[in-house]
């Protein structure tokens, strides 16, 4: 929906003869709401218009009096303070959310674009740690945000399924592994074997030679090597897929690193033809000194191509074959340099779309205050965290609402939602700390709190006979009190927040917004009678309740959480 800020900007720009976007950027929400719902500082216009801000504000205020959307406009110290018409705004906002929440949130600005989003991308035969959760959930939310704004999306899981590591996996499995044990708990078992390999190789370096030989065989397509490697992938994928199922996450393509094995030579050739490759200590690299970056290694001294080369091949594939015009990578901030190099090399290869590539970085995830690390053997498995969250959600529900039908399904939605929301609510660059007692707190800034607020709104509507997605119609809003107005005013800002989150590729802005929306709704719910109000007011408040329910549900979807109707 068109925001009220833009309505104000349009009128002000006409009156003052200044560009609308300039005005829009200046409009504020006054901290003290008694002053107004919107405020426009006029200081910036003083120089171009050669008049004092006070004069400009006075002229503007009197011109704005006649706009129907505004109840009043008053000059004050170089500002124009505008009060919106409460009844009209409430009518527009509540109706619009109920009729078409998608259109309310978004004007589909990205229609015609096609974005490829690389997210999750765990490594085969390695654990999907709580840390990988961040990429998965931030990535999934970005996919949904972009789609909601009109973009086509291609979700890609760039599985780590290639590398010398697989030689070690094969040797370890052949020496100490057991097929049945691997089948039962593949990732843990393969990791255990891998760790054992490193321990034994310290005393017996010939193991490393064996591993190299097996990797060579794998590269050469040796039947046994390929069969084992594929089996590791199949077994790991089963574990990952179970996690994705719990999280409600999906991909359009699984294109692992190995997919690019036959597509890298072309990249190397092109770099060489374009004169971009230089020799450095036996390796072939693209020099990036001019951009203050270390060289991007393309071919190692032993002839092997590496991570960056693979990512170059992958980027070309995503653009040329999958038709993406915008590439997005949701990967931890420790790979920032890698992506800067990658985008720079693409640019030097003459790909103008390199300018539209983005690395969406994020900070670490700590677990009860501790850093996670695979190397120190401190692996926290995401499946365990999710299962524990579901268990704890179940006991909370058992205590709060023992007669609830579908307790298990709700416990799953709430437990998983708790973990996911905790991840998304913070600025993605901040470190996230994960503690069960915090993430499951129904009164805190948590997923369960938002889900509970949604269920509460559903329950009010149910009691009034509005089931499922029934709309509540109202002819006119008579009196809109302050608490109700605060809630409506917050609802009216949804589109602005949504667009900023899309522009910044930052789901946390939407998460914070929905938390605030829930705070406003809960204050309204506690302090304003709904079901016991006189008939016309009752209907108005039910309609507002329904608008909140609808928007909260939509935002939960965008963030990848379920919205149970009863909790
Ligand atoms: N598998 C890598 C890791 O776990 C992440 C891959 C990210 N995507 C990419 N195109 N490089 O660190």
């Amino acid at each position: 929906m068109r925001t009220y800020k833009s309505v104000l900007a349009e009128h002000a720009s006409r009156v003052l003869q200044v560009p609308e976007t300039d005005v829009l950027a200046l409009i504020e929400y006054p901290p003290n709401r008694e002053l107004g719902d919107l405020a426009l500082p006029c200081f910036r216009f003083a120089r171009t218009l050669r008049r004092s801000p006070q004069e400009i504000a006075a002229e503007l205020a009197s011109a704005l009096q006649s706009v129907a959307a505004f109840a009043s406009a008053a000059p004050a110290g170089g500002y124009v303070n505008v009060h919106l018409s409460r009844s009209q705004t409430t009518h527009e906002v509540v109706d619009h959310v109920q009729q078409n929440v998608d259109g309310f949130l978004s004007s589909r600005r990205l229609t015609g674009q096609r974005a490829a989003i690389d997210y999750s991308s765990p490594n085969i035969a390695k654990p999907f740690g709580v840390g990988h959760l961040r990429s998965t959930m931030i990535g999934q939310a970005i996919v949904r945000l972009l789609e909601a704004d009109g973009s086509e999306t291609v979700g890609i899981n760039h599985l780590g399924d290639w590398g010398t590591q697989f030689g070690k996996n094969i040797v370890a499995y052949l020496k100490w592994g057991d097929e049945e044990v691997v089948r039962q708990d593949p990732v843990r078992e393969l990791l255990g074997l891998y760790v054992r390999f490193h321990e034994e190789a310290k005393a017996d370096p010939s193991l490393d030679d064996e591993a190299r030989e097996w990797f060579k065989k794998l590269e050469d397509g040796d039947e046994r090597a390929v069969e084992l490697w594929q089996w590791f992938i199949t077994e790991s994928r089963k574990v990952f897929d179970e996690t994705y199922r719990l999280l409600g996450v999906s991909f359009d393509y699984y294109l692992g690193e190995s997919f690019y094995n036959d597509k890298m030579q072309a990249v190397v050739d092109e770099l060489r033809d374009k004169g971009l490759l230089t020799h450095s200590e036996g390796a072939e690299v693209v020099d990036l000194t001019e951009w203050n970056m270390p060289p991007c290694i393309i071919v190692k001294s032993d002839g092997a191509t590496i991570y960056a080369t693979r990512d170059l091949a992958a980027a070309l594939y995503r653009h040329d074959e999958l038709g993406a015009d915008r590439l997005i990578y949701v990967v931890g901030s420790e790979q920032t340099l890698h992506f800067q190099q990658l985008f720079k090399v693409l640019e030097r290869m003459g790909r103008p779309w390199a300018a539209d590539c983005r690395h969406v970085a994020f900070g670490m995830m700590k677990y009860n205050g501790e850093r996670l690390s695979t190397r120190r053997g401190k692996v926290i498995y995401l499946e365990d965290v999710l299962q524990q969250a579901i268990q704890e959600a179940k006991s909370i529900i058992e205590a709060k609402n023992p007669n609830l039908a579908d307790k298990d399904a709700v416990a799953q939605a709430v437990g998983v939602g708790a973990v996911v929301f905790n991840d998304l609510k913070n600025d993605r660059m901040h470190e996230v700390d994960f503690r069960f007692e915090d993430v499951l707190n129904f009164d805190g800034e948590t997923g369960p709190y938002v889900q509970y607020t949604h269920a509460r709104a559903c329950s009010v509507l149910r009691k009034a006979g509005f089931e499922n997605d029934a709309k509540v119609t109202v002819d006119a809003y008579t009196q809109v009190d302050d608490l109700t107005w605060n809630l409506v005013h917050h609802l009216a800002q949804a589109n602005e927040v949504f667009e900023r989150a899309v522009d910044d590729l930052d789901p946390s802005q939407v998460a914070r917004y929905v938390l605030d929306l829930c705070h406003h709704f809960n204050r309204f719910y506690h302090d304003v009678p709904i079901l016991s109000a006189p008939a016309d007011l009752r209907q108005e408040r039910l309609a507002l309740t329904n608008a909140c329910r609808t928007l909260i549900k939509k935002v939960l979807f965008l963030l990848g959480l379920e919205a149970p109707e009863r909790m």
Side-chain angles (χ1 to χ4, degrees):
M1 186 178 105
R2 180 124 186 266
T3 61
Y4 291 95
K5 273 189 178 176
S6 70
V7 175
L8 172 55
E10 183 202 305
H11 288 282
S13 119
R14 217 186 30 230
V15 177
L16 301 179
Q17 298 292 311
V18 288
E20 193 173 320
T21 45
D22 293 359
V23 184
L24 190 60
L26 292 173
I27 300 174
E28 300 166 5
Y29 295 110
N32 174 1
R33 292 285 302 287
E34 304 207 326
L35 289 176
D37 299 310
L38 299 171
L40 173 59
C42 298
F43 309 96
R44 294 279 183 82
F45 309 126
R47 193 182 306 161
T48 29
L49 301 181
R50 296 167 181 281
R51 287 155 61 200
S52 74
Q54 288 74 8
E55 274 178 285
I56 300 172
E59 186 205 325
L60 197 50
S62 72
L64 293 173
Q65 296 295 353
S66 59
V67 179
F70 305 147
S72 70
Y79 280 82
V80 186
N81 292 323
V82 172
H83 282 280
L84 299 173
S85 154
R86 290 187 178 190
S87 51
Q88 185 180 328
T89 308
T90 307
H91 202 287
E92 282 171 2
V93 168
V94 171
D95 256 17
H96 199 155
V97 181
Q98 289 194 93
Q99 297 305 331
N100 176 3
V101 66
D102 295 341
F104 177 75
L105 210 51
S106 138
S107 45
R108 302 185 69 80
R109 297 172 302 159
L110 308 183
T111 303
Q113 278 194 17
R114 187 168 160 90
I117 301 98
D118 177 322
Y119 58 110
S120 195
S121 307
N123 302 315
I124 296 298
K126 296 264 180 67
F128 190 120
V130 191
H132 267 116
L133 171 71
R134 301 216 68 194
S135 169
T136 308
M137 295 318 303
I138 296 171
Q140 175 77 63
I142 288 176
V143 166
R144 292 193 180 168
L145 285 169
L146 293 178
E147 272 182 6
D149 212 1
S151 179
E152 279 181 43
T153 60
V154 187
I156 300 173
N157 194 331
H158 190 76
L159 283 174
D161 64 359
W162 195 254
T164 49
Q165 162 218 335
F166 288 95
K168 298 176 186 173
N169 287 124
I170 294 175
V171 171
Y173 173 72
L174 291 176
K175 285 202 190 303
W176 314 298
D178 179 291
E179 184 172 337
E180 223 9 73
V181 181
V182 172
R183 269 190 212 291
Q184 262 154 32
D185 197 350
V187 169
R188 257 173 256 237
E189 184 57 17
L190 291 173
L191 180 70
L193 289 169
Y194 187 69
V195 170
R196 179 161 174 192
F197 177 92
H198 280 273
E199 275 159 17
E200 306 233 356
K202 274 187 221 147
D204 177 6
S206 74
L207 283 173
D208 281 320
D209 297 329
E210 273 186 65
R212 254 189 299 278
E213 277 161 35
W214 272 104
F215 182 61
K216 180 88 181 61
K217 284 195 201 174
L218 181 58
E219 283 185 305
D220 295 343
D222 172 88
E223 200 180 321
R224 180 79 177 127
V226 170
E227 181 192 9
L228 283 170
W229 167 72
Q230 255 158 5
W231 182 58
F232 297 155
I233 296 178
T234 312
E235 293 299 324
S236 294
R237 281 270 321 256
K238 279 188 202 153
V239 179
F240 297 159
D241 286 347
E242 172 58 18
T243 300
Y244 294 139
R245 193 188 60 78
L246 268 182
L247 293 173
V249 164
S250 58
F251 303 89
D252 298 301
Y253 295 96
Y254 283 82
L255 295 173
E257 295 189 22
S258 67
F259 179 74
Y260 303 99
N261 281 346
D262 63 358
K263 298 174 181 59
M264 291 195 290
Q265 191 54 47
V267 173
V268 177
D269 292 345
E270 180 179 339
L271 287 168
R272 193 170 290 129
D273 289 348
K274 294 196 162 141
L276 293 171
L277 282 189
T278 51
H279 287 273
S280 163
E281 294 163 32
E284 292 192 81
V285 306
V286 177
D287 183 76
L288 298 172
T289 333
E290 201 178 310
W291 296 274
N292 284 320
M293 284 188 256
C296 181
I297 306 176
I298 301 296
V299 186
K300 281 202 285 202
S301 43
D302 60 3
T305 51
I306 58 162
Y307 192 55
T309 322
R310 226 166 263 283
D311 256 329
L312 285 169
L316 297 179
Y317 185 82
R318 289 169 193 182
H319 180 272
D320 300 347
E321 304 300 324
L322 300 180
D325 34 44
R326 186 178 180 201
L327 309 189
I328 295 171
Y329 299 83
V330 187
V331 185
S333 47
E334 67 283 356
Q335 296 194 28
T336 297
L337 176 62
H338 164 74
F339 287 104
Q340 285 170 346
Q341 293 176 312
L342 179 69
F343 302 158
K344 184 53 75 182
V345 174
L346 286 169
E347 184 193 310
R348 296 197 66 198
M349 288 170 84
R351 302 299 196 280
W353 46 267
D356 299 317
C357 293
R358 289 282 174 282
H359 173 211
V360 176
F362 52 82
M364 291 247 191
M365 173 99 105
K366 287 189 190 165
Y367 187 77
N368 291 332
E370 285 193 75
R371 284 229 165 144
L372 295 163
S373 148
T374 327
R375 242 173 307 137
R376 276 178 282 147
K378 225 189 280 166
V379 187
I380 312 251
Y381 290 87
L382 182 60
E383 327 138 52
D384 295 348
V385 173
L386 291 175
Q387 289 307 340
Q388 191 181 339
I390 293 169
Q391 282 314 315
E392 302 208 3
K394 177 102 185 268
S395 39
I396 296 173
I397 291 165
E398 209 73 74
K400 274 191 183 256
N401 191 355
N403 299 323
L404 183 70
D406 274 352
K407 259 183 270 185
D408 285 320
V410 175
Q412 178 170 320
V414 173
V416 172
V419 175
V420 169
F421 194 85
N422 176 64
D423 193 329
L424 291 177
K425 77 169 181 193
N426 296 297
D427 181 315
R428 56 182 159 69
M429 289 310 286
H430 290 182
E431 288 197 349
V432 174
D433 197 1
F434 183 92
R435 290 168 203 272
F436 279 111
E437 59 283 19
D438 297 340
V439 308
L440 277 159
N441 181 355
F442 278 41
D443 300 313
E445 301 199 322
T446 63
Y449 168 73
V450 178
Q451 289 170 316
Y452 193 66
T453 306
H454 170 264
R456 167 177 278 164
C458 289
S459 148
V460 174
L461 290 158
R462 210 161 38 234
K463 287 190 190 130
F466 292 100
E467 293 280 344
N468 303 319
D469 283 318
K471 315 259 180 289
V472 185
T473 50
V474 170
D475 294 330
Y477 287 79
T478 45
Q479 336 137 344
V480 182
D481 60 84
D482 289 345
L483 266 180
T484 307
W485 176 239
N486 276 342
L487 177 56
V488 173
H489 193 251
H490 193 70
L491 271 178
Q493 292 166 35
N495 166 266
E496 189 183 335
V497 176
F498 169 82
E499 291 189 351
R500 220 180 307 125
V502 170
D503 293 343
D504 298 348
L505 299 175
D506 183 9
S508 75
Q509 297 180 23
V510 176
R512 311 244 34 125
Y513 171 82
V514 79
L515 281 173
D516 287 340
L517 179 60
C518 290
H519 292 322
H520 284 299
F521 176 76
N522 284 319
R523 285 198 57 193
F524 164 80
Y525 172 86
H526 283 296
D527 295 348
V528 180
I530 303 175
L531 293 171
S532 61
D536 50 345
L537 275 177
R538 183 176 190 266
Q539 189 78 355
E540 291 169 29
R541 292 172 184 169
L542 284 168
L544 179 54
T545 301
N546 197 34
C548 293
R549 176 195 70 78
T550 309
L551 189 60
I552 295 171
K553 181 175 172 183
K554 178 77 196 176
V555 171
L556 284 172
F557 167 79
L558 292 175
L559 297 176
L561 275 79
E562 286 192 53
E565 292 186 359
R566 295 168 205 255
M567 272 173 70

